[in-house]
């Protein structure tokens, strides 16, 4: 059963605008893992729960063909609107039912998405479509993100903690699966050759506007917005003004250090 949390066009538009590309360090880890375990040629990668295509586009230069798959038509429509990747296509579909032959896929990725999949259905389908020595790379980040600006790092984190508290009633249990860094899913993968990297901290400088925009993409924020639009809007306004006050800035273009702690589950199908 698939959770349908990402259907709205306005949510998909926010995704295109504010979600991050996978960082270079993580992309290198994935490509090196596939190279070490299976080796070239890299013919087909499927990016499952592709959203608006951030990971699909990053994979495109390394593969003959990349297909992004997402259950949400709105997300796929936004992804398709970005042109310039002739070997990249998108399909509406689910990670539990992949329209590809047995043993045809080199790499399956899921970025901030595998926690939404049905564990058994997805694993069965991954086993079927992967080539021998084909690989899985399931990555994302938990909810421990850190914001710093000069001397007021702690205050900024309190602002984020307050936002999380207010969104708690709207947080799907699926999000908690991501916060465990996919521990259960990792344990359920039947391939003996697998590993789970729990901490890949990535630091970037982001404007206050981008950080608050990123928060706006959270499924729990969108659930809050549906339930109580004025309270949800006020929460983001309050979050923005608290950050600006603490960093003593007036413009939302002001940059803040932002650290996301990624994780990655790797697995390689036996011969
Ligand atoms: C948090 S978003 C991540 C999107 C993108 N990969 C990224 O990193 O920004 C999760 C995506 O998974 C999709 N999704 C949820 N369940 C799915 C399933 N069973 N099969 C395929 N896509 C699914 C949602 O529609 C949504 O676009």
């Amino acid at each position: 059963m698939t959770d349908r949390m990402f259907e709205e066009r306005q949510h998909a538009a926010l995704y295109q605008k504010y979600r991050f590309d996978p960082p270079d360090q993580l992309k290198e880890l994935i490509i090196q893992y596939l190279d070490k375990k299976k080796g070239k040629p890299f013919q087909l990668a499927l990016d499952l729960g592709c959203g608006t295509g951030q990971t699909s586009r990053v994979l495109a230069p390394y593969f003959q063909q990349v297909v992004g798959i997402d259950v949400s038509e709105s997300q796929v429509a936004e992804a398709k609107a970005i042109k310039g990747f002739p070997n990249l296509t998108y399909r509406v579909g689910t990670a539990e039912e992949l329209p590809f032959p047995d043993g045809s896929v080199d790499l399956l990725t899921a970025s901030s998405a595998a926690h939404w999949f049905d564990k058994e259905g997805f694993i069965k389908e991954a086993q079927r479509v992967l080539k021998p020595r084909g690989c899985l790379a399931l990555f994302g980040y938990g909810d421990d993100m850190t914001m710093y600006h000069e001397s007021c790092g702690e205050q900024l984190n309190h602002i984020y903690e307050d936002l999380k508290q207010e969104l708690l009633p709207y947080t799907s249990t699926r999000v908690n699966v991501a916060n465990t860094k996919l521990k259960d899913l990792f344990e359920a993968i039947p391939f003996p050759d697998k590993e789970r990297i729990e901490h890949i901290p990535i630091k970037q400088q982001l404007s206050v506007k981008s950080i608050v925009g990123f928060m706006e993409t959270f499924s729990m924020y969108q659930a809050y917005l549906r339930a109580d639009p004025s309270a949800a809007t006020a929460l983001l306004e309050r979050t923005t003004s608290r950050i600006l006050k603490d960093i003593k800035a007036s413009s939302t273009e002001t940059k803040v250090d932002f650290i996301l702690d990624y994780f990655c589950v790797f697995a390689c199908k036996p011969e």
Side-chain angles (χ1 to χ4, degrees), residues 2-3 6-7 15 19-20 47-52 54-55 69-72 75 93-96 111-113 115-118:
T2 293
D3 283 73
F6 299 87
E7 304 298 316
Y15 251 75
R19 296 297 279 210
F20 312 122
D47 179 30
L48 307 176
C50 64
T52 49
Q54 278 81 348
T55 298
I69 296 179
D70 200 287
V71 73
S72 159
Q75 296 274 346
T94 71
E96 299 84 3
S111 160
S112 299
H115 55 291
W116 294 107
F117 304 163
D118 172 76

Side-chain angles (χ1 to χ4, degrees), residues 33-243:
Y33 183 82
L34 182 64
D35 206 18
K36 188 168 105 196
K37 298 292 176 185
K38 191 199 137 282
K40 295 191 178 64
F42 293 172
Q43 287 168 314
L44 176 60
L46 306 185
D47 179 30
L48 307 176
C50 64
T52 49
Q54 278 81 348
T55 298
S56 318
R57 290 190 288 276
V58 163
L59 292 175
Y62 298 90
F63 291 84
Q64 288 170 25
Q65 196 193 350
V66 175
V67 183
I69 296 179
D70 200 287
V71 73
S72 159
E73 284 181 25
S74 307
Q75 296 274 346
V76 168
E78 282 285 340
K80 280 183 173 171
I82 307 272
K83 307 290 179 201
F85 298 86
N87 63 335
L88 170 58
T89 52
Y90 294 99
R91 295 186 194 185
V92 175
T94 71
E96 299 84 3
E97 209 170 323
L98 298 170
F100 293 88
D102 297 359
S104 61
V105 177
D106 295 276
L107 177 71
L108 286 176
T109 56
S111 160
S112 299
H115 55 291
W116 294 107
F117 304 163
D118 172 76
K119 191 171 63 186
E120 281 77 29
F122 163 61
I123 289 177
K124 194 159 160 250
E125 200 59 342
Q127 267 187 294
R128 184 185 69 76
V129 298
L130 280 173
K131 293 177 182 175
R133 315 283 314 154
C135 296
L136 275 173
L138 314 174
F139 60 93
Y141 34 80
D143 65 349
D144 44 353
M145 41 195 94
T146 313
M147 296 185 277
Y148 286 105
H149 185 269
E150 295 170 354
S151 61
C152 57
E154 273 216 7
Q155 283 118 300
L156 292 182
N157 282 341
H158 286 153
I159 299 169
Y160 173 56
E161 290 303 320
D162 290 348
L163 176 112
K164 274 200 307 194
Q165 277 304 317
E166 193 160 339
L167 296 182
L168 210 54
Y170 303 91
T171 303
S172 159
T173 51
R174 297 283 187 154
V175 171
N176 296 328
V177 174
N179 292 339
T180 68
K181 304 171 194 263
L182 303 179
K183 186 169 180 292
D184 284 356
L185 179 56
F186 172 70
E187 283 165 7
I189 295 171
F191 308 159
D193 190 355
K194 58 181 178 178
E195 61 187 280
R196 186 167 69 114
I197 305 174
E198 290 191 52
H199 296 288
I200 312 170
I202 304 284
K203 183 173 166 181
Q204 52 187 325
Q205 281 227 312
L206 290 179
S207 67
V208 174
K209 187 176 169 187
S210 302
I211 292 171
V212 177
F214 175 59
M215 292 165 174
E216 196 179 352
T217 69
F218 294 171
S219 58
M220 47 279 200
Y221 178 76
Q222 291 297 317
Y224 192 21
L225 191 63
R226 282 191 292 276
D228 191 342
S230 53
T233 307
L235 171 63
L236 281 196
E237 285 168 3
R238 202 163 58 247
T239 301
T240 305
S241 45
R242 285 181 70 191
I243 297 175

